[in-house]
Amino acid sequence: MNTENTAKKDERNLYLKNEDLDAAVEKYLALLSFDEQDQQSRFLPVTASRGLVTKEPVFAKISSPFYNASAMDGICVNALEMAGVDERHPKMLTKGADFKFVDTGDVIDEPYNAVIMIEDVVVTDDEQVSINAPVALWQHVRPIGEDIVAGELIIPAFHRVRPMDIGALLAGGITEIEVMEKPQVGIIPTGTELVEAGEAMAAGKIIDSNTHMFAGLVSEYGGEPNRYPTVKDDYGLIKNAIEQAVAENDIVLISAGSSAGTEDYTRRLIEELGEVVVHGVAIKPGKPVVLGIVRGKPVIGIPGYPVSAYFVFESFVKPIIFSFNHQTLTQERSIMAVLSKRLMSSLKHLEFVRMKCGRVNDKFVATPLDRGAGVTMSLVNADGILKIPKNVEGYEAGEMVEIVLMRPREEIENTLVSIGSHDVLMDVVANIIHKSRKIMSLSSAHVGSLGGIMAIKKGECHIAPVHLLDEETGIYNLAYLKRYLEKENVVLIKGVRRTQGMMIPRGNPKNIVAVTDLSRDDISFVNRQRGSGTRVLLDFLLKKNRIDPENVLGYTREMNTHMMVASAVKSGSCDVGIGVLSAANMMDLDFIPIGDEEYDFVVLQENLDDPRIQTFIDVLKSGEFKAALDQLGGYGLDRPGEIIRP
Amino acid sequence: MNTENTAKKDERNLYLKNEDLDAAVEKYLALLSFDEQDQQSRFLPVTASRGLVTKEPVFAKISSPFYNASAMDGICVNALEMAGVDERHPKMLTKGADFKFVDTGDVIDEPYNAVIMIEDVVVTDDEQVSINAPVALWQHVRPIGEDIVAGELIIPAFHRVRPMDIGALLAGGITEIEVMEKPQVGIIPTGTELVEAGEAMAAGKIIDSNTHMFAGLVSEYGGEPNRYPTVKDDYGLIKNAIEQAVAENDIVLISAGSSAGTEDYTRRLIEELGEVVVHGVAIKPGKPVVLGIVRGKPVIGIPGYPVSAYFVFESFVKPIIFSFNHQTLTQERSIMAVLSKRLMSSLKHLEFVRMKCGRVNDKFVATPLDRGAGVTMSLVNADGILKIPKNVEGYEAGEMVEIVLMRPREEIENTLVSIGSHDVLMDVVANIIHKSRKIMSLSSAHVGSLGGIMAIKKGECHIAPVHLLDEETGIYNLAYLKRYLEKENVVLIKGVRRTQGMMIPRGNPKNIVAVTDLSRDDISFVNRQRGSGTRVLLDFLLKKNRIDPENVLGYTREMNTHMMVASAVKSGSCDVGIGVLSAANMMDLDFIPIGDEEYDFVVLQENLDDPRIQTFIDVLKSGEFKAALDQLGGYGLDRPGEIIRP
């Protein structure tokens, strides 16, 4: 085992390189030549070709309009017979002999060659009209082919068919066109620990979600995903899977096993079956990617961590699919935003940081989300990506940075930004807002109550949820506003009363009864992060009970939300944690109340009229909100939504 | 008949209003309430939900990771037993008793609660390792729920499912979600003159292409199109069709018949079946739109001209589909560009002008395309839209204007802009470039040779195709460069020799033999626009033969391309026109040669190194190009692609 481990160390140094992203992409794409001669194509009805790419240029078969057509409602005449007509010399025309009534689109043919608008015709009786203006040959007549001339090019080769193209093709008499088959992308999930979503879970098992994300991205970018059954971490089995996938697809993705660990076979397999072009790119997350070529086809080893997997797909697989379809790779929209907190990054790699964005007081503010490669939710919750280039140490708080958007800018403009303490009720509010069909959403970052107050001070959020106990007065929140926000003109939006307490496993196996038990050496505790109101509460209680934090086992182990603490207790990785009753209920834990506290929202006076904040207040006052909290339990609602001035 | 026509006039004044676009949209959407309670939904496998919209918020069923997992390759230990370890006090550990080797992702459970990276372990032998640094409780361990905590919100209601959402949902143990059914959009083609693409054409027939474009747009924007059979212009039949469509759909579109003509029934029918909210909006093209409500559902009458139809769809139908799906309507990207020519518009309406754009000498240049409401190709060829607001007279040449893009900016950046004389060989070049898999395209506007020279002067294009005969010297092109571009440092890229001549119907029914025949009063001619080289050639010939243009019947009837002239001859709307042999061949016409001419390309010396122009030159020199021209016929290639300095 340890020999393997030392071997592993060598491999790590020996194999995994650190190439620059752009260089790696260029090097790889240059070696991949998609010759359209080899590319499959088929003939399709034009009406079924939307989004597909033409193999050949398409020329009109017939002209449109197909005949000389009246462009107006009016009468058609022979212009040559109308010579000399003007105001002084009007002319009386007889129906049938001199003219014919026509509507827009009617045929104009012999002996007629011009149209006079009905507005310019004086109708005397059923058979007679008179005109008093000159008539030009072919006036108000749409000539054959005015729109499309037979033989004219409608769309070129390698053109992605859009709805208006379909209209033009049909108008040009085309009913079938030759389109390229989408690139077939084989996706191989590998890993002995993998199970399919829905299957029974157990310790050591991981649900394979990445390959389904890949399938979605492949479809989105114009490919055809073919997902293969999961393969155990077995050299031979994975080898067979790759050989089959290469035979059946244009592009092959191998999920997980791309690093340099004992059971990471991708690199060695591609070397055996073909050629490894790049192993290891200087991006984070996503470093341990393998870019290979087997029988002329791209075979890519993608790391198993979900966020790494996403960025490797975006960086390498997306360009390959676009190149296969001969489409220009387009940049996503981006915005310039103020960075809300210092963001350091290694000089060794280009880092992709998922960011939350909001428009606060006429500027965009961007706050980094969890940077862990395993945190899928940071992708789901991201509004955009901040790229910290290699050789850049990072950015200071307050710097202007470019954010490549993952959500429409308009959605971000309509987002109410909440930074501060965490409570599950924020999810409740978010959903009531969403359900209300208002084009507005709520984004909440959990940095604790004090972090929220700082965010208000720095103008990075609209509201800051807080629950801060003033140890002297025993009063919540207001004291802190005076202390930290005396210059700012802030008010408090009344929230809820909620019950904090000790969360313990069902049946209280270790017989915990009071805060003093936290110092018992047979009890391991899990704490909340510094700056959170719950941490303040704990420290207050320890002090009151003369307990030295040194003697609380796990005092230094910090979690960011009530739910994560509850989850830690539930999992048995600790015996007790402090949090709100609603979280304990959701995790089916026992609960020993410590006391009630006030969970309110700080907001700048000047922002009170902001429609987003008004909506937020309306929700707090709604019956829907009350009903939802009653169901969660552990909340008291006195005057939610009421404005309190310090 | 005339009574109908007078009636029609009254109706026109009586009915068609001219409401502002924004006001009309707001007024209409306000009256349409899509109550999600009424909206159909269904449960789908998560893996099949991409692009669909959630009906309810989705909360995680299980935590991810599902267990405490090692975040590193290394060994796991019980941190409590490692107290006091540091460089001075290393500790020897025995496998099994004190530690276990783990790979990333392995389970960490009793008695272990911390991981030490393999790099920080000194492996002495198979059973013994030593460490020399302190170990924190739970270091390098991914706690249960670090990514997703059971019960946590993954995505809210009315959220459009993206690939990364699918990944997170599966990781959270969700296999099925409730999504809203797409809005069903009924599309009714009306018009006695309509035929399906592919059916036999005849004068008076029009291929129904609009409703297929609608179907494509509906799908693109998240709806489900249901196209109904074509209905003749019959009040009763259309009424039945509308009633059926309203019963079977959420939104109904009626194609054509939305104006105020004798056979435009849409408005009257909606009045009878429901309510007309708006008839006539101040937009061009697209004015005669009918916005109605029948049984609470939007029923929209869309004008028949293709371009009008497109803008009515974008202006009214798109927002309705987005609102139905509770999605934010996002703006397309736009660029600022220099307007290449004066553009006047009526104060009475907001006008949508289709524009060609290109990046020439570090600035975007925008040139208007045909403004006719019937010209589908102006949509297909457009790079973007210039909106000229109501109450704005227009813009002067050289003004900076905003162009809302219809093609990716990156594609426009890579476009070679050609403005000048028309020849079918430009299509040939465009396709060879496209086929070459170069990420570059050719856009050519046809404004005649002199127009091209002016465009070069104003820096609006990269190349200008010209064929201008100098009457004194009889030499082509060079003389004009000296005359018009003496200040600019221009060169000529040699093009082709081509044969100009008189295009006449097969068999030469009117026995035309020479240019002198053009003055015969039994012969009608069709001319090219002023500034075109062919026009210059004609005037030269008329002068030479002492023919007064006054005596040429149809001299004032101008067309913009060789193909349109050929098409006019083919259709019999004239007896003869002047153009190139290749066009005559494509239209299967007889041809009387007048003489050869030089068709070359003007380019600024400084732009010769532009990779786009280099590619263009390479194509001119290619065998592929020669082969294609040989097939067209009528071309001579001496030294195509050669650079000639005046």
Side-chain angles (χ1 to χ4, degrees):
Chain A
M1 180 72 177
N2 78 315
T3 44
E4 273 184 54
N5 277 289
T6 28
K8 200 192 304 176
K9 280 181 70 177
D10 299 340
E11 284 171 12
R12 191 177 283 105
N13 307 331
L14 187 68
Y15 282 0
L16 219 49
K17 292 225 171 36
N18 207 31
E19 302 207 21
D20 286 352
L21 175 59
D22 297 346
V25 173
E26 197 178 316
K27 181 175 171 185
Y28 193 42
L29 282 178
L31 290 169
L32 300 170
S33 68
F34 299 110
D35 180 359
E36 61 267 16
Q37 301 322 324
D38 313 348
Q39 276 170 265
Q40 300 297 313
S41 67
R42 69 187 143 135
F43 285 86
L44 267 187
V46 165
T47 49
S49 64
R50 185 179 63 90
L52 297 171
V53 178
T54 54
K55 180 100 192 296
E56 300 293 339
V58 187
F59 300 90
K61 277 195 189 141
I62 63 172
S63 296
S64 168
F66 188 72
Y67 55 93
N68 293 314
S70 175
M72 296 285 174
D73 296 336
I75 65 171
C76 62
V77 299
N78 180 341
L80 307 179
E81 294 169 359
M82 305 298 143
V85 175
D86 60 26
E87 295 230 322
R88 293 239 190 77
H89 313 82
K91 186 177 168 79
M92 185 67 73
L93 307 178
T94 309
K95 192 165 131 190
D98 306 319
F99 78 91
K100 196 171 72 178
F101 281 110
V102 285
D103 283 334
T104 305
D106 286 352
V107 181
I108 304 301
D109 53 11
E110 295 291 324
Y112 304 115
N113 50 30
V115 169
I116 305 170
M117 292 165 65
I118 194 67
E119 290 88 337
D120 301 335
V121 174
V122 182
V123 180
T124 43
D125 66 49
D126 272 15
E127 296 301 317
Q128 304 272 312
V129 306
S130 74
I131 58 171
N132 54 19
V135 180
L137 197 60
W138 298 104
Q139 75 179 22
H140 302 320
V141 176
R142 286 188 70 201
I144 291 178
E146 182 191 65
D147 184 358
I148 303 171
V149 180
E152 177 184 3
L153 175 77
I154 299 180
I155 49 175
F158 300 121
H159 176 83
R160 198 155 190 277
V161 179
R162 305 161 299 169
M164 63 274 265
D165 302 323
I166 291 175
L169 288 163
L170 294 173
I174 310 295
T175 53
E176 261 207 344
I177 60 172
E178 185 177 9
V179 295
M180 297 198 299
E181 294 287 357
K182 295 176 173 179
Q184 299 293 312
V185 183
I187 304 169
I188 306 172
T190 74
T192 310
E193 72 285 1
L194 291 185
V195 297
E196 290 289 325
E199 282 176 24
M201 280 301 280
K205 294 290 173 199
I206 294 173
I207 294 172
D208 172 38
S209 56
N210 288 3
T211 58
H212 293 286
M213 175 177 72
F214 296 157
L217 290 168
V218 166
S219 307
E220 203 131 296
Y221 296 145
E224 193 66 45
N226 304 311
R227 183 170 170 271
Y228 288 84
T230 302
V231 187
K232 288 195 166 12
D233 290 317
D234 176 286
Y235 193 90
L237 292 177
I238 299 177
K239 181 178 173 181
N240 297 343
I242 295 176
E243 284 177 314
Q244 184 192 352
V246 167
E248 297 173 351
N249 296 275
D250 303 297
I251 301 166
V252 174
L253 311 180
I254 305 163
S255 180
S258 68
S259 190
T262 35
E263 295 187 325
D264 295 326
Y265 299 126
T266 304
R267 185 220 164 88
R268 280 171 264 164
L269 277 166
I270 295 177
E271 267 174 342
E272 182 185 333
L273 299 171
E275 167 199 8
V276 169
V277 179
V278 172
H279 186 199
V281 176
I283 57 174
K284 179 189 175 186
K287 180 175 194 289
V289 58
V290 184
L291 305 177
I293 299 179
V294 176
R295 291 206 249 126
K297 293 173 178 178
V299 177
I300 302 174
I302 304 180
Y305 274 130
V307 184
S308 310
Y310 173 78
F311 285 108
V312 164
F313 191 102
E314 290 292 300
S315 302
F316 300 100
V317 185
K318 183 180 182 183
I320 291 172
I321 293 174
F322 272 65
S323 159
F324 188 99
N325 285 332
H326 199 258
Q327 300 300 298
T328 306
L329 195 60
T330 57
Q331 297 300 316
E332 299 307 319
R333 292 171 92 181
S334 66
I335 56 172
M336 296 306 291
V338 178
L339 189 60
S340 72
K341 63 161 122 165
R342 190 160 191 263
L343 205 49
M344 290 297 106
S345 175
S346 154
L347 295 170
K348 287 208 223 63
H349 49 240
L350 159 68
E351 182 172 5
F352 302 98
V353 187
R354 282 81 69 203
M355 309 290 287
K356 262 286 177 209
C357 301
R359 194 175 187 84
V360 183
N361 309 335
D362 303 329
K363 64 178 191 295
F364 284 107
V365 178
T367 309
L369 287 158
D370 191 316
R371 290 161 82 173
V375 185
T376 322
M377 286 309 290
S378 68
L379 271 182
V380 172
N381 294 330
D383 295 323
I385 303 297
L386 169 59
K387 296 177 184 172
I388 307 179
K390 196 177 164 188
N391 306 327
V392 170
E393 267 193 311
Y395 301 106
E396 297 299 327
E399 264 191 75
M400 273 296 217
V401 291
E402 181 181 22
I403 308 293
V404 178
L405 295 182
M406 292 176 72
R407 279 172 66 203
R409 178 194 170 107
E410 293 77 2
E411 270 179 44
I412 295 169
E413 300 252 3
N414 294 320
T415 299
L416 176 68
V417 181
S418 163
I419 299 181
S421 165
H422 168 260
D423 189 287
V424 286
L425 73 77
M426 293 306 280
D427 287 348
V428 172
V429 174
N431 284 304
I432 296 175
I433 290 173
H434 225 85
K435 278 277 190 177
S436 72
R437 295 205 141 274
K438 287 226 171 54
I439 296 304
M440 160 184 163
S441 60
L442 170 66
S443 118
S444 39
H446 309 134
V447 300
S449 296
L450 285 172
I453 284 179
M454 291 310 142
I456 286 283
K457 211 181 176 66
K458 290 190 274 171
E460 293 163 1
C461 64
H462 299 107
I463 60 170
V466 296
H467 57 106
L468 289 162
L469 173 61
D470 179 48
E471 299 188 5
E472 287 86 55
T473 62
I475 294 174
Y476 268 91
N477 303 331
L478 287 171
Y480 282 79
L481 301 196
K482 294 207 183 69
R483 197 175 310 157
Y484 293 101
L485 296 169
E486 47 188 343
K487 277 189 219 62
E488 292 75 15
N489 183 7
V490 295
V491 299
L492 213 54
I493 301 172
K494 204 88 202 72
V496 301
R497 249 182 311 100
R498 65 180 194 180
T499 310
Q500 288 264 28
M502 293 191 286
M503 304 189 284
I504 50 182
R506 273 258 177 267
N508 194 0
K510 293 214 166 167
N511 185 32
I512 294 167
V513 293
V515 174
T516 46
D517 290 312
L518 296 184
S519 57
R520 281 163 49 186
D521 55 13
D522 67 328
I523 288 189
S524 80
F525 176 73
V526 60
N527 208 344
R528 285 291 306 281
Q529 82 276 20
R530 264 179 231 76
S532 68
T534 305
R535 175 70 163 263
V536 172
L537 175 64
L538 172 77
D539 293 342
F540 169 70
L541 292 170
L542 293 179
K543 201 160 153 203
K544 205 170 107 190
N545 294 279
R546 298 195 179 66
I547 300 172
D548 179 352
E550 285 286 311
N551 304 332
V552 177
L553 181 57
Y555 180 88
T556 55
R557 185 178 173 202
E558 300 183 346
M559 304 233 163
N560 289 330
T561 70
H562 295 267
M563 287 301 286
M564 285 192 70
V565 171
S567 149
V569 174
K570 183 74 178 177
S571 72
S573 80
C574 67
D575 303 310
V576 57
I578 291 180
V580 293
L581 178 56
S582 54
N585 291 343
M586 288 176 81
M587 277 286 167
D588 185 35
L589 298 169
D590 279 357
F591 187 81
I592 302 169
I594 296 171
D596 284 4
E597 62 178 15
E598 308 285 328
Y599 184 83
D600 304 323
F601 307 92
V602 185
V603 56
L604 286 177
Q605 168 82 45
E606 69 197 72
N607 288 346
L608 263 185
D609 303 336
D610 184 309
R612 290 168 294 191
I613 289 174
Q614 279 305 316
T615 304
F616 179 74
I617 292 173
D618 295 343
V619 171
L620 292 180
K621 291 179 172 172
S622 69
E624 208 174 344
F625 178 68
K626 186 179 187 317
L629 290 203
D630 290 346
Q631 207 185 345
L632 285 173
Y635 293 99
L637 285 77
D638 306 335
R639 314 176 302 283
E642 189 174 298
I643 306 301
I644 295 176
R645 291 179 168 67
Chain B
M1 183 72 176
N2 79 313
T3 44
E4 273 184 53
N5 278 288
T6 27
K8 200 190 304 177
K9 282 181 69 175
D10 298 341
E11 285 170 11
R12 192 177 282 104
N13 307 331
L14 187 68
Y15 282 2
L16 220 50
K17 292 221 173 39
N18 207 31
E19 302 206 20
D20 286 353
L21 175 59
D22 298 347
V25 173
E26 197 178 316
K27 180 175 172 185
Y28 192 42
L29 282 179
L31 290 169
L32 300 170
S33 68
F34 299 111
D35 180 359
E36 61 267 18
Q37 302 321 324
D38 313 348
Q39 276 171 262
Q40 301 295 314
S41 67
R42 69 189 145 134
F43 284 87
L44 267 187
V46 165
T47 49
S49 65
R50 186 179 62 91
L52 297 172
V53 178
T54 54
K55 178 99 196 278
E56 301 292 340
V58 187
F59 300 92
K61 276 196 190 140
I62 63 173
S63 295
S64 169
F66 189 73
Y67 56 94
N68 293 315
S70 175
M72 296 283 172
D73 296 337
I75 65 171
C76 61
V77 298
N78 181 340
L80 306 179
E81 296 169 357
M82 305 299 144
V85 176
D86 59 27
E87 296 228 322
R88 293 239 189 79
H89 313 82
K91 187 178 169 73
M92 185 68 74
L93 307 179
T94 308
K95 191 164 132 191
D98 306 318
F99 77 91
K100 197 172 75 179
F101 281 110
V102 287
D103 283 334
T104 305
D106 286 352
V107 181
I108 304 301
D109 53 11
E110 293 295 322
Y112 304 114
N113 50 30
V115 168
I116 306 169
M117 292 165 65
I118 194 69
E119 291 87 338
D120 301 335
V121 176
V122 181
V123 181
T124 44
D125 65 49
D126 271 13
E127 295 303 316
Q128 304 269 312
V129 305
S130 73
I131 59 170
N132 54 20
V135 180
L137 196 61
W138 298 104
Q139 75 178 21
H140 301 321
V141 176
R142 285 188 70 204
I144 291 179
E146 181 190 65
D147 184 359
I148 303 171
V149 180
E152 175 185 4
L153 175 77
I154 299 180
I155 49 175
F158 300 121
H159 176 83
R160 197 154 190 278
V161 179
R162 305 162 300 170
M164 63 274 264
D165 301 324
I166 291 175
L169 289 163
L170 295 173
I174 310 294
T175 52
E176 262 208 343
I177 58 172
E178 185 176 9
V179 297
M180 297 198 299
E181 294 286 356
K182 294 177 173 178
Q184 299 294 312
V185 182
I187 303 169
I188 307 172
T190 74
T192 309
E193 71 285 2
L194 291 186
V195 297
E196 290 289 325
E199 281 177 23
M201 281 302 280
K205 294 291 175 198
I206 295 174
I207 294 172
D208 172 37
S209 56
N210 288 3
T211 58
H212 293 286
M213 174 177 73
F214 296 155
L217 290 168
V218 167
S219 308
E220 205 131 296
Y221 297 143
E224 192 65 45
N226 305 311
R227 183 170 170 271
Y228 288 83
T230 303
V231 188
K232 288 197 169 8
D233 291 316
D234 174 287
Y235 193 89
L237 293 177
I238 299 176
K239 181 177 173 182
N240 299 341
I242 295 176
E243 284 178 315
Q244 185 193 350
V246 168
E248 297 172 350
N249 297 275
D250 303 296
I251 301 166
V252 174
L253 312 180
I254 306 163
S255 181
S258 69
S259 189
T262 33
E263 295 187 324
D264 296 326
Y265 300 126
T266 304
R267 185 220 164 88
R268 279 170 265 165
L269 277 165
I270 296 178
E271 265 174 344
E272 181 185 333
L273 299 169
E275 166 199 8
V276 169
V277 179
V278 172
H279 186 198
V281 177
I283 58 174
K284 178 187 175 186
K287 181 175 193 289
V289 58
V290 184
L291 306 177
I293 298 179
V294 176
R295 291 205 249 127
K297 294 173 177 176
V299 177
I300 302 174
I302 304 181
Y305 273 131
V307 185
S308 310
Y310 173 78
F311 285 109
V312 164
F313 191 102
E314 291 291 301
S315 303
F316 301 100
V317 185
K318 183 180 181 183
I320 291 173
I321 293 174
F322 273 65
S323 159
F324 188 101
N325 285 333
H326 199 259
Q327 299 301 298
T328 307
L329 196 60
T330 57
Q331 296 300 317
E332 299 306 319
R333 291 170 94 183
S334 65
I335 56 172
M336 296 306 291
V338 179
L339 188 60
S340 72
K341 64 161 118 166
R342 190 162 192 260
L343 205 49
M344 291 296 108
S345 173
S346 154
L347 295 170
K348 286 207 225 62
H349 48 241
L350 159 68
E351 181 171 5
F352 302 99
V353 187
R354 282 81 67 203
M355 310 290 287
K356 261 290 182 206
C357 301
R359 193 175 188 84
V360 183
N361 309 334
D362 303 330
K363 65 178 191 294
F364 283 108
V365 178
T367 310
L369 288 158
D370 192 315
R371 290 161 82 174
V375 185
T376 322
M377 286 309 291
S378 67
L379 271 182
V380 172
N381 294 329
D383 295 323
I385 302 297
L386 168 59
K387 296 178 185 171
I388 307 180
K390 198 178 161 186
N391 306 327
V392 169
E393 265 195 313
Y395 301 106
E396 296 300 327
E399 265 191 75
M400 273 298 215
V401 291
E402 183 181 20
I403 307 293
V404 178
L405 295 182
M406 293 175 73
R407 278 173 66 204
R409 178 194 169 108
E410 292 78 3
E411 271 180 42
I412 294 170
E413 299 253 4
N414 293 321
T415 299
L416 176 68
V417 181
S418 163
I419 299 181
S421 164
H422 168 260
D423 189 287
V424 287
L425 72 79
M426 293 307 280
D427 287 347
V428 172
V429 174
N431 284 304
I432 295 176
I433 291 172
H434 224 85
K435 279 276 192 177
S436 73
R437 293 205 142 274
K438 287 226 171 57
I439 295 304
M440 160 185 163
S441 60
L442 170 65
S443 119
S444 40
H446 309 133
V447 301
S449 296
L450 285 171
I453 285 180
M454 291 309 142
I456 286 283
K457 210 180 176 69
K458 289 190 277 172
E460 294 163 2
C461 65
H462 299 107
I463 59 168
V466 296
H467 56 106
L468 289 161
L469 172 61
D470 179 49
E471 300 189 4
E472 288 84 56
T473 63
I475 294 173
Y476 268 90
N477 304 331
L478 286 171
Y480 281 80
L481 300 196
K482 294 207 182 69
R483 195 174 313 158
Y484 292 100
L485 296 170
E486 48 189 342
K487 280 189 217 62
E488 292 74 15
N489 182 8
V490 296
V491 299
L492 213 54
I493 301 172
K494 204 86 202 76
V496 301
R497 247 182 315 101
R498 64 180 194 181
T499 311
Q500 287 264 28
M502 293 191 286
M503 305 190 281
I504 49 182
R506 275 256 176 270
N508 193 1
K510 292 213 167 170
N511 185 34
I512 296 167
V513 294
V515 173
T516 46
D517 289 314
L518 297 183
S519 58
R520 280 164 49 185
D521 56 12
D522 67 327
I523 288 189
S524 79
F525 176 74
V526 60
N527 207 346
R528 285 291 306 282
Q529 82 276 19
R530 264 178 230 77
S532 68
T534 305
R535 174 71 163 262
V536 171
L537 175 64
L538 171 77
D539 293 341
F540 169 70
L541 292 171
L542 292 180
K543 201 160 153 203
K544 203 170 110 189
N545 294 279
R546 297 193 184 64
I547 300 173
D548 179 351
E550 285 286 310
N551 304 331
V552 178
L553 183 56
Y555 179 87
T556 55
R557 185 179 174 200
E558 300 183 345
M559 303 231 165
N560 289 331
T561 70
H562 295 267
M563 286 301 286
M564 285 193 69
V565 171
S567 149
V569 175
K570 184 74 177 178
S571 72
S573 80
C574 66
D575 303 311
V576 57
I578 292 181
V580 294
L581 177 57
S582 54
N585 290 344
M586 287 175 80
M587 276 286 166
D588 185 35
L589 299 168
D590 278 357
F591 186 80
I592 302 169
I594 296 171
D596 285 3
E597 64 178 11
E598 309 285 329
Y599 183 84
D600 305 323
F601 307 93
V602 185
V603 56
L604 284 177
Q605 167 83 44
E606 67 197 74
N607 288 345
L608 262 185
D609 303 335
D610 184 308
R612 291 167 292 191
I613 288 173
Q614 280 305 316
T615 304
F616 179 75
I617 292 172
D618 295 342
V619 171
L620 292 181
K621 291 177 172 172
S622 69
E624 207 174 345
F625 178 68
K626 186 180 185 318
L629 290 203
D630 290 347
Q631 208 186 343
L632 285 172
Y635 293 99
L637 284 77
D638 306 337
R639 314 175 304 281
E642 189 175 298
I643 306 301
I644 295 177
R645 290 176 170 70

